[in-house]
Amino acid sequence: MFHFPIPLTVDGFPLWVILLICCGVFLASFMDAIAGGGGIISVPTHLIAFGSLPAPYALGTNKISACIGTIFSTARFIKNGYVNWKLFGPSILFSITGSVAGTWLQHRTPDAVLKYMLLFVLPVVAFITLRTREWPDEPGTIDPRKQTAIVWAAAFLIGGYDGYYGPGTGTFLMIIFIRLARLDTRHAAGGVKVINLASNSASMVTQIISGYSYLGVGLIASVASIAGHYLGSGLAIKNGSRIVRPAVIVVLILLTVKVGSELLFPEFWG
């Protein structure tokens, strides 16, 4: 009779740590597929699980599962016809360009400057979102050239935010695409997924090459990420604004808490 030994560790981490990461990644991916902002949950989960290890290892390992999971939610939106490639194809380049510019700016300005700004902006955005009852499941009326300008500008500016700081990038894009670019909820979500997949892929490759990731942990967590993204994207496609709007509000509240905790307890966030 053959006995197949069950490994007690993965990349040096005990199984209970892997289970903790998978639970956090699943919840984060489920939320991310609906309204963005999954990093608000998955990044703290990795930081807690990795303990005293430098923060870049947690961030780099998180990118593996985030990227692989996003592939599946993006594919589901594409399969259902909710990605306008003429509009969002060029947005990928604008987002990457903005991210590079944001990273450059991050190295030259105090990080706290943006966080204090966000503490003021986030409650305002949450209030506007709460007051806005109509999140359309049908596209609004807007000049195509104006819509294109808004989407491409948002991809560049929020891409810059992503390079500078990051959490909530998908949520901010979702709000702009719906409220300003007059996209319906499903097409807005599809566009956000395409842009997020591009930025996540570039970041994941960079982190792996730099050595700031545990590949085994990231690949195992990817199973949970795939499940969360698949289920979350299915709910977003089926229910549209009925589930996306409340999810966006939850993300904005969590992001406000995260920014506040980073200012009060910077030692935890590395």
Side-chain angles (χ1 to χ4, degrees):
M1 184 175 181
F2 294 99
H3 295 279
F4 296 95
I6 300 175
L8 298 179
T9 63
V10 176
D11 289 337
F13 296 96
L15 292 182
W16 72 266
V17 171
I18 306 302
L19 180 60
L20 170 65
I21 291 174
C22 286
C23 290
V25 165
F26 173 80
L27 181 59
S29 301
F30 181 80
M31 182 176 75
D32 194 69
I34 296 173
I40 299 170
I41 295 176
S42 63
V43 170
T45 299
H46 280 82
L47 288 170
I48 292 171
F50 283 11
S52 60
L53 285 173
Y57 287 96
L59 298 174
T61 304
N62 174 66
K63 279 298 179 184
I64 297 173
S65 57
C67 179
I68 294 175
T70 304
I71 291 173
F72 283 79
S73 58
T74 304
R76 199 163 189 187
F77 277 101
I78 293 173
K79 180 182 177 181
N80 285 271
Y82 291 122
V83 174
N84 182 342
W85 288 109
K86 183 179 179 180
L87 189 60
F88 289 108
S91 298
I92 295 173
L93 298 177
F94 282 107
S95 177
I96 293 174
T97 303
S99 181
V100 171
T103 303
W104 180 88
L105 186 63
Q106 180 197 59
H107 296 161
R108 289 160 176 79
T109 57
D111 193 35
V113 172
L114 179 63
K115 293 175 183 177
Y116 280 114
M117 290 176 58
L118 284 172
L119 277 181
F120 171 76
V121 171
L122 285 170
V124 175
V125 175
F127 176 76
I128 294 173
T129 304
L130 283 168
R131 287 289 301 272
T132 305
R133 297 294 180 182
E134 297 181 1
W135 276 54
D137 288 320
E138 297 294 333
T141 303
I142 186 174
D143 182 88
R145 290 173 296 181
K146 181 179 179 181
Q147 183 183 62
T148 299
I150 291 173
V151 169
W152 291 359
F156 177 78
L157 293 173
I158 304 301
Y161 164 79
D162 192 25
Y164 192 103
Y165 182 57
T169 296
T171 306
F172 290 138
L173 285 172
M174 178 82 73
I175 293 172
I176 293 172
F177 291 166
I178 290 174
R179 303 316 312 167
L180 300 182
R182 308 296 291 171
L183 288 165
D184 63 274
T185 302
R186 293 176 178 86
H187 280 90
V192 168
K193 289 297 123 199
V194 169
I195 294 173
N196 272 348
L197 178 58
S199 61
N200 276 338
S201 298
S203 178
M204 180 187 70
V205 171
T206 302
Q207 295 282 20
I208 291 176
I209 292 175
S210 301
Y212 288 117
S213 61
Y214 289 98
L215 191 59
V217 175
L219 291 176
I220 291 175
S222 295
V223 177
S225 181
I226 290 169
H229 272 280
Y230 186 83
L231 293 174
S233 60
L235 281 178
I237 290 170
K238 181 179 179 181
N239 297 286
S241 61
R242 286 182 296 171
I243 190 170
V244 173
R245 179 178 176 271
V248 166
I249 294 170
V250 170
V251 170
L252 291 173
I253 293 172
L254 290 176
L255 183 53
T256 303
V257 173
K258 181 181 186 299
V259 173
S261 68
E262 284 184 335
L263 290 170
L264 294 174
F265 309 104
E267 63 279 359
F268 172 77
W269 298 96

